[in-house]
Every structure is written in C-alpha cells, then in structure tokens.
Amino acid sequence: MSQLSESSPQFESPDLVASLGELARTLRTARRSTPDTLETILRSSLTLIDGADSGAIATLGKDGSRTVVASTDALSGDLCREQFEMGQGPIVSEVRHFTVVVSADLDKESRWPKFAVTAVDAGIRSLAAFQLYSSHEQVGALVLYSTRVDAFDDDVVSIGEALAAHAAVALLYAQDTENFQNGLATRDIIGQAKGMLMERYDIDAVQAFELLAKLSQQENRRLHLVCRQLVDADHPTRSVES
C-alpha cells in the first residue's frame, strides 16, 4: 500500500533501465556481505534518485528495537534517531503500513510537526521513505532526504520503488547467506568439540554431545560458546569463528 496515486507515471528511460539492471546484477553478486549491500543501496539511491542528497537505512523490530544500520552521513543517521526518540516521523509512524511515504515540504508538514521542525532546522526540506521489507519480526526502511522542497515527484518515487524492490531482495539474501554461514561455523565448532571429547574420554558422539549440553546448562552459556572455549584451549588454530 502506498500513499501515492496508483496512476504514478512509469519511467522508461533506457539509461535508467540500464542503471537499474546494473544495480540488480551488482546486488546479486555472490558473497556480498550485508554491510556491502547496504553501502551499494545507499550509493545507488543517491545516483539514481534525482533530488536525494543523503539517506539512511533503518530497522524497527517487533521487540521494540530501532536501529540505523547504515547512512550516507552523520545528519541522515541522526534524523532517523530523532524519529526514534520523538516517536514520530515516517519511519516510526507510517513505513510499517505504507510502501512509500513522501513529504514534499517539511516546513508545512502536519503529520510529524516536532520532527519536521528538527529536519528543517538541519536544512532538510523534503523526504521520501521506502519500505524495503516487512516481516513478522522486523521492518526495514530506506529514507532519503533533500535540501530542496518538492524534490521527490511521482517519477522519482517510481524509480525509488523499483530500486527498493531490488534492494530488499538483495538485502534479505545477504542476511540469509550470513545466517547460513554462521550456522555452518557453529555446527563445525560443535563438531570439533565433540570429536575432542570422544577421543579424550573414549565416548561416543551422543555421549559427547550430552556432556557439552550439560556444560552449557551448568555455565548458563550458549552451546557453541562452550565448544569454542574447549577447542581454543586445546587447539587454538582449529577454532572456527561463528
């Protein structure tokens, strides 16, 4: 759902289509980390979206966590945090419910008056916020700021929506890949610890795992941390980062 008219103009510039295609290919690059993906999203946003002077990517968790995960400069990150502290602004008020939120003139903005004054005082006159993704646990948003009034018209917003769609897929892929790699590393360190105990105490794999689980409970520490400590103590060079 968007706050813009459903009849928003479509962009058909060959150069723009080529740029979005290149962005899509770049974002799909294998082994691209989440920080790299975030940096590419922001850099491409300022390049492809006319009028955008700065931007930030923020997340809101179901648990109440609110985080600025990347920003082009200190001001854009600070403006997102101001929204968190004030409890008003496009990120905290509307991005969860709308795919796009635009304020053409923050000096006349009535939806978030307190935040609008702060933004104008900092030299920001208009903004556009795009929902990157929305899950049961978390919402991600890309917020672009401009020093000009009416910087984000319907054509520009259409470009932003296309960019956000590419960015969302790439960002979730990068996060899933890192989670998977972390899972493999955790499984590996547990396997190393089990093997050490099996050899040292002449026990089988089930008994070794039960012993590790018991140590985890006794020390009130996660299993992979207990395993890493054991491996590091006996074979430091074999330890695998989780």
Side-chain angles (χ1 to χ4, degrees):
M1 181 165 54
S2 169
Q3 286 192 307
L4 295 178
S5 167
E6 294 183 359
S7 60
S8 298
Q10 297 297 310
F11 51 88
E12 299 180 356
S13 164
D15 290 341
L16 178 58
V17 172
S19 296
L20 284 170
E22 180 60 29
L23 170 63
R25 288 188 290 274
T26 299
L27 290 173
R28 285 199 300 267
T29 301
R31 299 183 181 277
R32 179 171 290 275
S33 68
T34 296
D36 286 343
T37 300
L38 292 168
E39 181 182 349
T40 299
I41 292 170
L42 287 174
R43 184 173 62 249
S44 299
S45 297
L46 299 192
T47 300
L48 295 174
I49 300 180
D50 186 36
D53 296 311
S54 61
I57 295 174
T59 60
L60 286 78
K62 180 185 176 183
D63 59 1
S65 61
R66 298 174 177 183
T67 307
V68 178
V69 295
S71 61
T72 59
D73 57 2
L75 176 59
S76 58
D78 288 343
L79 287 175
C80 290
R81 295 184 189 92
E82 288 286 349
Q83 294 182 57
F84 299 158
E85 293 178 8
M86 295 176 180
Q88 61 173 248
I91 301 176
V92 297
S93 304
E94 298 173 70
V95 166
R96 187 180 296 276
H97 309 291
F98 299 97
T99 56
V100 185
V101 182
V102 175
S103 179
D105 187 351
L106 285 164
D107 199 34
K108 300 177 181 178
E109 182 57 67
S110 60
R111 290 171 293 181
W112 335 292
K114 194 174 177 182
F115 168 71
V117 169
T118 299
V120 171
D121 287 346
I124 301 301
R125 297 305 306 274
S126 60
L127 64 79
F130 301 89
Q131 183 189 97
L132 287 177
Y133 60 88
S134 179
S135 67
H136 181 65
E137 297 297 328
Q138 192 180 71
V139 174
L142 166 65
V143 187
L144 301 176
Y145 300 102
S146 178
T147 57
R148 306 197 322 255
V149 173
D150 292 322
F152 305 102
D153 60 19
D154 285 358
D155 285 330
V156 170
V157 169
S158 293
I159 298 169
E161 289 182 298
L163 186 149
H166 286 303
V169 173
L171 184 56
L172 293 175
Y173 175 76
Q175 292 173 338
D176 286 345
T177 299
E178 288 184 352
N179 289 338
F180 176 70
Q181 291 172 340
N182 288 340
L184 289 179
T186 296
R187 187 177 67 178
D188 194 24
I189 201 72
I190 292 174
Q192 289 183 49
K194 282 171 54 181
M196 286 171 47
L197 295 181
M198 289 167 65
E199 180 181 357
R200 182 177 301 171
Y201 299 112
D202 192 23
I203 56 180
D204 62 27
V206 173
Q207 292 172 318
F209 183 80
E210 289 176 346
L211 179 55
L212 290 169
K214 186 175 182 179
L215 285 172
S216 175
Q217 291 178 336
Q218 288 177 341
E219 298 184 12
N220 194 27
R221 299 173 63 206
R222 291 186 177 181
L223 180 62
H224 75 92
L225 295 178
V226 171
C227 293
R228 181 190 294 173
Q229 182 179 12
L230 289 172
V231 173
D232 282 345
D234 207 50
H235 302 286
T237 58
R238 292 173 56 190
S239 178
V240 178
E241 287 296 326
S242 62

